[in-house]
Amino acid sequence: MSGYRETVVQFDCQGERLLGVAALPPDGQAIHRTGVVIVVGGPQYRAGSHRQFVLLARSLAAAGFAVLRFDYRGMGDSEGAQRDFQSVTADIGAAIMALMAQSDAIKRIALWGLCDGASAALLYSEATRDPRLAGLCLLNPWVRSESSLARAQVKHYYTQRLFDKSFWKKLLSGRVGLGALGGLIRSVRRATRSNSLPAASAALSYQERMALAWRGFKGQILLLLSGVDLTAKEFLEFGQIDPSWAGALKLAHVTRLDFAEADHTFSDGKQLALANAAVRDWLLALARKED
């Protein structure tokens, strides 16, 4: 416990009690002006898979950052009805306030999000244009639609199988049924469908809102992508095809890091340590601009 201290934090969100855990630098160590709120991917609670969020928060606290990991309403130990990532803007805003209340030193905030937690962070930015946001750290963002999933499956799963000799041996021997081929055909059909909304509709999809936030964000964005993860591959595919995302990954305020051997939640200890170190270094560079 010499590198950090932790405290339970309870706070209100629209009349319901939320619970989180703040990881803070040890007493006597200076706190950076930039605090970090961990936005979890769902359905998860504040610890994360294989304690991913716990380890991240403690490593960042040891580097001088105040970090809050918390449960959305309806998850973990928080009150309220369960909700999805498109409905947690108020929860994230309440968490930001709760973290900033931990120290007068905290003036700006970076949001860290995994999967649809990354998507929720972007949607929060798009909905609020919160001037306190200095950075967005996004791991394997979620942009799933029926057609985007199908494209990723066709390119990264079915195509590999078609070039696999063992697949054809099983097919010819009858050990691969017609159902497998039917799945390929259905995926190809879904992949060719458009993600765009009808022209008469004025509503934006959540993926388009994410793109608006990405392009309009005034701070820095760190994008971490896992090499062994369909969600990450789907995000890259979406960015290449969808007009709202055209060129977005190459913008000047975006830093992209690829982890070829990592899975979706960085379950391998070595990969997780590499990712956490990359996040720490990026935050330290961001903090130097703010301190």
Side-chain angles (χ1 to χ4, degrees):
M1 291 290 290
S2 59
Y4 61 90
R5 53 191 171 92
E6 289 180 319
T7 183
V8 174
V9 179
Q10 298 186 52
F11 53 99
D12 178 83
C13 179
Q14 298 182 343
E16 293 173 314
R17 181 185 62 84
L18 275 63
L19 187 140
V21 176
L24 306 167
D27 288 327
Q29 181 177 333
I31 297 178
H32 292 298
R33 289 165 57 90
T34 302
V36 182
V37 172
I38 294 176
V39 183
V40 307
Q44 292 192 73
Y45 83 119
R46 62 187 180 274
S49 301
H50 51 82
R51 302 175 74 245
Q52 180 184 15
F53 309 145
V54 176
L55 297 174
L56 172 67
R58 291 176 177 176
S59 68
L60 295 180
F65 294 96
V67 186
L68 179 66
R69 49 189 176 87
F70 73 103
D71 297 333
Y72 294 148
R73 283 173 289 173
M75 289 300 298
D77 293 302
S78 291
E79 296 177 344
Q82 187 174 347
R83 59 204 66 238
D84 68 13
F85 71 97
Q86 298 186 62
S87 306
V88 294
T89 290
D91 304 64
I92 295 172
I96 290 174
M97 292 293 293
L99 178 60
M100 297 186 76
Q102 296 299 305
S103 172
D104 292 336
I106 306 170
K107 304 300 182 184
R108 303 293 298 279
I109 293 293
L111 296 179
W112 181 104
L114 166 69
C115 191
D116 63 23
S119 306
L122 282 166
L123 294 176
Y124 173 83
S125 177
E126 188 271 335
T128 66
R129 302 294 176 179
D130 191 336
R132 298 169 298 182
L133 291 186
L136 298 172
C137 180
L138 310 174
L139 284 71
N140 303 323
W142 177 269
V143 291
R144 180 150 301 172
S145 67
E146 184 181 70
S147 57
S148 68
L149 174 60
R151 281 196 301 268
Q153 288 175 328
V154 169
K155 182 174 182 178
H156 299 287
Y157 175 69
Y158 286 112
T159 301
Q160 292 178 4
R161 294 205 71 190
L162 290 175
F163 287 96
D164 185 352
K165 291 182 180 179
S166 65
F167 170 79
W168 289 103
K169 289 180 180 179
K170 291 179 181 178
L171 177 64
L172 294 174
S173 67
R175 284 183 290 164
V176 173
L178 293 176
L181 293 178
L184 170 59
I185 294 171
R186 287 191 295 272
S187 291
V188 170
R189 287 175 177 171
R190 288 193 294 266
T192 58
R193 295 174 186 169
S194 172
N195 278 316
S196 59
L197 292 170
S201 174
L204 295 177
S205 68
Y206 80 85
Q207 297 97 330
E208 290 171 318
R209 291 173 55 208
M210 287 170 60
L212 283 176
W214 186 287
R215 293 183 184 282
F217 188 59
K218 302 303 182 183
Q220 296 296 308
I221 295 176
L222 176 64
L223 174 66
L224 277 65
L225 295 174
S226 299
V228 191
D229 178 42
L230 188 61
T231 299
K233 297 181 188 301
E234 191 175 347
F235 176 76
L236 290 175
E237 290 289 319
F238 200 93
Q240 294 171 0
I241 295 174
D242 191 88
S244 65
W245 282 91
L249 273 62
K250 297 181 180 180
L251 295 175
H253 67 297
V254 178
T255 300
R256 172 180 164 181
L257 297 177
D258 291 85
F259 295 81
E261 299 179 17
D263 61 17
H264 186 64
T265 60
F266 292 79
S267 62
D268 177 79
K270 179 180 178 181
Q271 296 301 314
L272 180 61
L274 290 172
N276 287 351
V279 172
R280 179 201 63 210
D281 293 345
W282 177 78
L283 284 168
L284 286 170
L286 189 66
R288 283 193 287 271
K289 297 178 181 180
E290 301 294 329
D291 290 350

